[in-house]
Amino acid sequence: MGLHTANALEAFDHCVTAISSDHSWSLHGRVGSALMWMCALDESFWPDAGYEKARDVDTDGQVIPGLRRARDAVVHQLTQTNEHGGLEYPLFGGTGTLNYPDRWVDLGRLGPPASKSPRLGLQERMYQTHVAGQTILRPLLRARNWIVAWRTR
């Protein structure tokens, strides 16, 4: 794995670690950062012969075009891609809070794309299939698995 790829993967890992320890509304920025790094990692392999074809038929690799659709929504439309998980309930004169993992919003909540890329259809199918409704970390970690597997093949 090249030095630049290793550094980008380390930056992505820092974002994932921050996401796993944060259950607040500030999570949106950390998710956006993880999406940026994952897309940068993905793009760094586009020149590799067969990369995109192999990625798009692998169950973990298929997550990446879906994450790109989420990244585009964050970058171009300032869309929040995750729903905060939690519930307040009455508790002996006050309130209690039950937190549960944040999830990715449905495709329709990302809003219309800023531009019509030839890859948009694939991105939206992969988002709906592999990202929407999932806990935040699951698709990110699957994408990481693909990136590491590709580089160490």
Side-chain angles (χ1 to χ4, degrees):
M1 191 177 306
L3 180 60
H4 297 297
T5 303
N7 290 343
L9 191 58
E10 182 180 356
F12 174 81
D13 288 343
H14 282 295
C15 293
V16 169
T17 299
I19 289 167
S20 67
S21 65
D22 184 4
H23 302 287
S24 70
W25 293 105
S26 67
L27 186 63
H28 177 64
R30 294 173 181 180
V31 170
S33 295
L35 291 170
M36 302 291 182
W37 283 112
M38 180 48 60
C39 289
L41 283 161
D42 179 50
E43 287 176 28
S44 74
F45 302 128
W46 287 357
D48 293 3
Y51 170 77
E52 288 182 85
K53 184 176 181 179
R55 179 199 66 199
D56 293 347
V57 297
D58 182 87
T59 55
D60 284 339
Q62 290 173 350
V63 173
I64 296 174
L67 293 175
R68 179 170 298 282
R69 176 63 179 94
R71 186 217 58 127
D72 290 350
V74 169
V75 170
H76 301 297
Q77 298 156 299
L78 304 178
T79 301
Q80 183 159 339
T81 56
N82 58 291
E83 295 181 297
H84 184 62
L87 174 69
E88 287 190 355
Y89 55 91
L91 179 67
F92 306 110
T95 58
T97 303
L98 174 65
N99 287 320
Y100 50 89
D102 285 38
R103 296 193 175 275
W104 295 93
V105 299
D106 288 330
L107 178 63
R109 294 203 27 217
L110 292 182
S115 64
K116 299 286 186 191
S117 159
R119 297 178 176 152
L120 181 61
L122 173 68
Q123 292 171 358
E124 291 190 337
R125 283 192 310 280
M126 295 303 106
Y127 182 88
Q128 193 60 38
T129 302
H130 297 288
V131 180
Q134 298 290 319
T135 59
I136 294 299
L137 287 175
R138 186 162 191 238
L140 293 171
L141 294 176
R142 286 180 61 199
R144 185 190 191 285
N145 289 344
W146 164 251
I147 293 292
V148 171
W150 178 258
R151 281 317 295 160
T152 57
R153 62 177 167 45

